[in-house]
Amino acid sequence: MITALNTQFGISGQLSFCEDASGLIVAEINNALGSASLCLQGAHLMTWQPKSQSVPVVWLSKDAKMAAGKSIRGGAPVCWPWFGAHATQSSFSGHGYARTVPWQVIESGTEPNGATRLTLRLVESEQTRAQWPHDCNVDLTVIVGDTLRMEMTTENTGTSDFVIGEALHTYLQIGDIGSVRVTGLEGCEYWDKVGGSNLRKQDGAISFAGETDRVYINSAAECVIHDEQLKRRIHIAKSGSLSTVVWTPWVEKANKMGDMGQPDGWREMVCVESANAIDNLVTVAAGTRHTLIVEYRAESV
Ligand code: BG6
């Protein structure tokens, strides 16, 4: 399997595949512009660090566990074909099944600027069909360089329309949650998932002093994480996404989760997720496709 992947999709000096101790297969990318790793299960980007930064930009918990059928804590989990709890089936996993099932590599290559491109396709099975009985292809392309670009395409290959919720649930590495600000969502409405589900309006930049779990709706704008400790800004620009989820578990919830990196790994991450959720679910008409694109860029200040 590994040999076949390396023969067909490996790129000398840039992209190779290896098996983790858990038996999961990981794509390792390292080029002149940046490095990244991606687990084929879940098409789960785990790490990304541009060469211009001394600290990774994507956060992976030091207690992240890799296991068949389990989501990895950190990186960029792919939430699809629903976001959060399933609308009617409480036994279906939160955030959909895409992040815990096998994906297969379908293409790799080098961009003109030297960045490395890798495309994966979700592998359907009886288990996925039982939860999502629609004909479709779901592809994720990652382009790893000085920026990180992720493109998720849902193609409806069937004869009837379907509706999806989705997110690239990216964990970003920060100096400390108490001292960062997120801009780009000023004046937006959001569903506040802490203490019930209330619709509120964002006043000014976002700063953090407790558990924060918000789904901003009708927001296509670029978001920026301002990080004075790490002396950088992380820019998150997107298209095909009208919701932005901002999440930090804070101490109590983090302690209960058990894989956030004790004692205070949670302080060094914030999720700014590019999504289509709640008011912004997407109807993918029969025979059409929908693409969500996000590009991350770190700027030293
Ligand atoms: C966020 C949700 O997107 O993901 C939160 O808004 C949730 O409610 C968080 O707690 C983490 O989810 P999970 O399933 O990866 O633990």
Side-chain angles (χ1 to χ4, degrees):
M1 177 78 170
I2 297 289
T3 311
L5 276 169
N6 278 316
T7 307
Q8 198 176 351
F9 300 108
I11 304 173
S12 175
Q14 267 190 53
L15 168 63
S16 63
F17 298 87
C18 60
E19 197 172 306
D20 177 77
S22 61
L24 296 179
I25 297 173
V26 175
E28 300 281 1
I29 296 171
N30 194 356
N31 57 41
L33 303 168
S35 62
S37 58
L38 182 144
C39 183
L40 268 48
Q41 172 175 283
H44 196 134
L45 179 111
M46 297 190 294
T47 59
W48 171 57
Q49 182 169 356
K51 298 276 152 126
S52 57
Q53 293 292 312
S54 54
V55 175
V57 177
V58 167
W59 179 87
L60 178 68
S61 170
K62 63 179 165 56
D63 290 341
K65 296 178 191 72
M66 295 188 59
K70 300 267 182 256
S71 183
I72 300 163
R73 182 63 62 196
V78 173
C79 304
W80 188 98
W82 58 87
F83 179 81
H86 188 274
T88 55
Q89 302 292 326
S90 57
S91 62
F92 290 1
S93 307
H95 291 333
Y97 56 79
R99 61 179 176 164
T100 55
V101 300
W103 292 54
Q104 65 184 17
V105 181
I106 57 171
E107 202 266 341
S108 68
T110 306
E111 297 288 292
N113 70 353
T116 307
R117 186 181 68 248
L118 180 64
T119 300
L120 287 89
R121 175 166 291 180
L122 190 147
V123 178
E124 288 188 11
S125 66
E126 261 176 46
Q127 180 212 344
T128 66
R129 287 215 151 257
Q131 297 184 39
W132 183 252
H134 304 284
D135 293 326
C136 63
N137 290 322
V138 191
D139 292 350
L140 181 80
T141 295
V142 297
I143 301 175
V144 175
D146 187 47
T147 64
L148 169 69
R149 186 177 166 97
M150 302 182 77
E151 305 179 355
M152 175 156 64
T153 297
T154 303
E155 182 184 11
N156 184 339
T157 54
T159 51
S160 48
D161 303 355
F162 58 65
V163 176
I164 58 165
E166 59 182 346
L168 292 172
H169 186 313
T170 311
Y171 292 70
L172 285 320
Q173 175 99 37
I174 55 176
D176 184 80
I177 189 71
S179 66
V180 295
R181 285 179 309 121
V182 177
T183 57
L185 295 163
E186 298 80 1
C188 278
E189 285 190 313
Y190 64 92
W191 290 103
D192 190 349
K193 290 166 75 181
V194 175
S197 195
N198 299 302
L199 192 62
R200 303 184 199 281
K201 195 168 191 166
Q202 180 63 39
D203 183 16
I206 305 166
S207 52
F208 302 91
E211 183 187 358
T212 305
D213 191 356
R214 302 176 180 175
V215 180
Y216 289 83
I217 53 171
N218 305 322
S219 63
E222 173 174 312
C223 288
V224 180
I225 302 171
H226 302 257
D227 187 340
E228 279 174 22
Q229 252 187 43
L230 293 184
K231 296 187 174 39
R232 72 183 179 190
R233 296 187 194 125
I234 300 175
H235 296 256
I236 303 159
K238 61 180 187 166
S239 68
S241 157
L242 284 179
S243 312
T244 304
V245 183
V246 177
W247 177 63
T248 168
W250 218 255
V251 64
E252 237 172 77
K253 197 162 189 185
N255 285 344
K256 281 193 202 135
M257 290 166 72
D259 59 357
M260 288 296 294
Q262 288 295 342
D264 49 12
W266 63 274
R267 296 202 71 98
E268 295 171 1
M269 51 90 15
V270 65
C271 285
V272 177
E273 310 167 31
S274 302
N276 287 303
I278 311 183
D279 303 54
N280 302 127
L281 300 179
V282 176
T283 299
V284 187
T288 69
R289 57 178 68 193
H290 152 78
T291 302
L292 185 165
I293 301 175
V294 196
E295 191 152 352
Y296 305 89
R297 176 171 67 87
E299 174 198 10
S300 298
V301 291

